[in-house]
C-alpha cells in the first residue's frame, strides 16, 4: 500500500458539471446518459409531502423532477416542475376541491403506471441517437430504466438533461391523444 500525495486547491480550481464537456455525441452509448441508481441516489420525495414545499426544494436543488415514493420507499410516481406549474396547481385545486397548501406530491405526480420504461439490456445496446429518437417519438420527457432480469428500477433518463449534455434543443412530438383532442375540437 502507498500513500498518495495530497495538495491544496488553487483559486482557479472550480467545480465542474457535465454541461462543460462535449463528450456525448449521437453515436455515444445511450447508457452514458442514464442516471444510474446503482451509482447515484435517486432524487425522491414522499407522496405525502406538500406540493408547494417540493417546488421550493426542486428549485433549491436545481432539479426538474423527483421520484415520488410511499412510506415503504416504493416508487409511486414522478413529480416534475411542469406538474408543479401554476396552471397544474389551479387545475388540481379545482378537481380535488382543496386549497393549494393542502396539495401533495401524490396529487400532482405522474403515476407509476403511466411512466414509460426501457429495459436496461436494450439501452446497453443503443446509441444516444436511438434514445433521443425513442423519447421524441413517444413524446416522453422522462423514461425509467428497469432491469427485467432483477426486477429493479435501475435508472432515469431526462430529455432535458439529454438536451443539455448534447448542447442542443431537443423537442418532443405531441402525443397522439393530444392530437386527437385537437382534431376533435377543430371539427
Amino acid at each position: 500500500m502507498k500513500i498518495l500525495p495530497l495538495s491544496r486547491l488553487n483559486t482557479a480550481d472550480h467545480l465542474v458539471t457535465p454541461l462543460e464537456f462535449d463528450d456525448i455525441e449521437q453515436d455515444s452509448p445511450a447508457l452514458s446518459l442514464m442516471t444510474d441508481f446503482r451509482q447515484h441516489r435517486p432524487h425522491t420525495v414522499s407522496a405525502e409531502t406538500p406540493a408547494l414545499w417540493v417546488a421550493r426544494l426542486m428549485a433549491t436543488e436545481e432539479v426538474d423532477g423527483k421520484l415520488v415514493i410511499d412510506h415503504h420507499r416504493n416508487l409511486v410516481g414522478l413529480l416534475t416542475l411542469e406538474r408543479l406549474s401554476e396552471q397544474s396547481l389551479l387545475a388540481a385545486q379545482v378537481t380535488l376541491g382543496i386549497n393549494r397548501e393542502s396539495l401533495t406530491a401524490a396529487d400532482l405526480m405522474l403515476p407509476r403506471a403511466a411512466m414509460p420504461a426501457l429495459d436496461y439490456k436494450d439501452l446497453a445496446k443503443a446509441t444516444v441517437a436511438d434514445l433521443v429518437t425513442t423519447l421524441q417519438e413517444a413524446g416522453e420527457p422522462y423514461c425509467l430504466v428497469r432491469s427485467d432480469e432483477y426486477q429493479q428500477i435501475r435508472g432515469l433518463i431526462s430529455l432535458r438533461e439529454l438536451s443539455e449534455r448534447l448542447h442542443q434543443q431537443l423537442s418532443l412530438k405531441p402525443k397522439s391523444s393530444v392530437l386527437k383532442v385537437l382534431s376533435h375540437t377543430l371539427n
Side-chain angles (χ1 to χ4, degrees), residues 14 35 38 44 50 59 76 105 117 127 147:
H14 68 281
T35 300
R38 286 184 64 185
T44 61
V76 295
T127 65
S147 173

Side-chain angles (χ1 to χ4, degrees), residues 62-73:
E62 297 181 358
V63 298
D64 64 338
K66 282 194 171 279
L67 296 173
V68 181
I69 55 174
D70 64 14
H71 61 281
H72 296 294
R73 295 202 48 81

Side-chain angles (χ1 to χ4, degrees), residues 35 37 40-45 53-67 78-84 142 156 158 160-161 164:
T35 300
F37 299 152
H40 304 281
R41 189 174 189 90
H43 292 279
T44 61
V45 65
W53 186 82
V54 177
R56 286 189 296 272
L57 181 65
M58 288 170 60
T60 301
E61 293 178 353
E62 297 181 358
V63 298
D64 64 338
K66 282 194 171 279
L67 296 173
L78 173 70
L79 189 56
T80 63
L81 286 177
E82 180 181 74
R83 290 181 158 270
L84 289 166
Y142 292 91
L156 181 70
S158 160
R160 181 196 55 81
E161 195 170 313
E164 289 175 353

Side-chain angles (χ1 to χ4, degrees), residues 3 5 8 14 19 27 36-37 48 52 59-60 67 70 76-78 84 94 115-116 120-121 124 133 143-144 157 170:
I3 296 176
R8 302 278 183 225
H14 68 281
L19 304 181
D27 60 345
D36 191 338
F37 299 152
E48 295 84 30
L52 295 175
T60 301
L67 296 173
D70 64 14
V76 295
L78 173 70
L84 289 166
V94 171
M115 293 180 70
Y120 183 85
K121 287 181 180 178
T133 301
C143 185
L144 290 171
I157 295 171
L170 302 173

